[in-house]
Amino acid sequence: MFDMTNINVNSSSSESRHVKTLILGSGPAGLAAALYAARADLEPLVLTGTELGGQAALTFAIENYPGFPEGVGGAELGDLFQKQAERFGARVEFDSAYSADLSSRPFKVTADSGDFQADSLIIATGASPIHLNIPGETQQTGKGVSYCATCDGWFFKDKKVVVVGGGDSALEEGLFLTRYASSVTIFHRRDSLRAGAVLQKRALAHPKMKFVWNTVLTEVVGDEKVEAVKTKNLQTGEESVFPTDGLFIFIGHTPNTKMFEGQLEMENGYIKVDERMNTSVEGVYAAGEAADSHFRQVVTSAGMGAAAAIEVTHFLERETA
Ligand code: NAP
């Protein structure tokens, strides 16, 4: 898990705090932005959000971030990002923003700890997992339904689990679950996978992994814990009950941008940015999965965060010139 010992917890204050650069989110985009902003003497403040290190910190092993030929743990990488940013003066506080007023400068942001006035703002609030929205799913979340294999896989030692999805996440997390579970059955709504070739090859060849094609889940069954899932074959219409101890859902993500609705231009909930990470409001930048529905990699998010901070530097220089 992400190392909490280095995180400052801001005590509640009624006073509005003024900052040159406020960064929302502590995933790769937010912490890379903090590193660059700190090195430019912008004294950035990062409000971590509830997921320290972002989604990357929930990933067991990241094998495609350059510079780590043997791979690196997601939480460990987040911790390294943070230490590097702090070395140059960035402040990281465990706090979550829940509303913003971007109509004038300084921008006003309200967080759990109080209000902030920011000369510039970098939004790196990331994305959250999409739910299936089937009966039983919400009730059984935490009792066998999960959206994070790294967090919950351990609970399924020698048990049967079901995974939903056909993308990189479903296969990567499914492969991770084979460390614990006795079997991992992937239910996919089509008969071909969306995931990349390397993951497909590994997953299809894994002795613990099974695939059920053209099939969706219609209900999670169980009282105190998950006991089975109801399924429907989309080609034959046949309905079945599949016994399982756990259900892991990896069907994509939705960006955490609700508080900016009506204030920033968006497309399908993703904040629109140009090639320099400018949003539709001057002085507000966005980076990572809050603004990227396409690449969604640790390295691309970190790159966007760095670019946003470089642009903030130019913006604040122009403002004070
Ligand atoms: P994704 O690529 O959007 O895949 C979502 C999967 O869920 C698809 O197979 C989709 O089916 C299925 N799905 C969507 N809604 C569904 C529903 N209501 N019921 C059943 N199935 C449903 O999402 P992702 O796997 O989270 O990946 C997101 C991005 O992150 C991708 O760009 C991916 O390459 C990247 N990523 C990369 C890595 C890596 O490089 N190691 C790891 C994880 C993620 P269809 O295929 O039929 O649409």
Side-chain angles (χ1 to χ4, degrees), residues 55 59 61-64 130-133 164-173 187-190 192-196 199 215-217 249-253 289 293-297:
Q55 293 178 82
T59 306
I62 295 175
E63 294 181 329
N64 51 11
I130 295 176
H131 294 192
L132 279 173
N133 289 323
V164 183
D168 283 323
S169 299
L171 296 200
E172 198 168 74
E173 305 276 326
F187 281 79
H188 183 36
R189 63 183 178 184
R190 294 187 293 131
S192 63
L193 295 163
R194 181 180 293 277
L199 274 173
T215 302
V216 292
L217 268 53
I249 300 164
F250 303 112
I251 59 168
H253 291 85
E289 289 197 26
S293 63
H294 183 67
F295 294 113
R296 312 182 65 185
Q297 303 296 302

Side-chain angles (χ1 to χ4, degrees), residues 132 134 144-146 162-164 217 220 226 229 244-249:
L132 279 173
I134 54 173
V145 173
S146 172
V162 159
V163 167
V164 183
L217 268 53
V220 184
V226 172
V229 289
T244 184
D245 301 299
L247 167 60
F248 286 81
I249 300 164

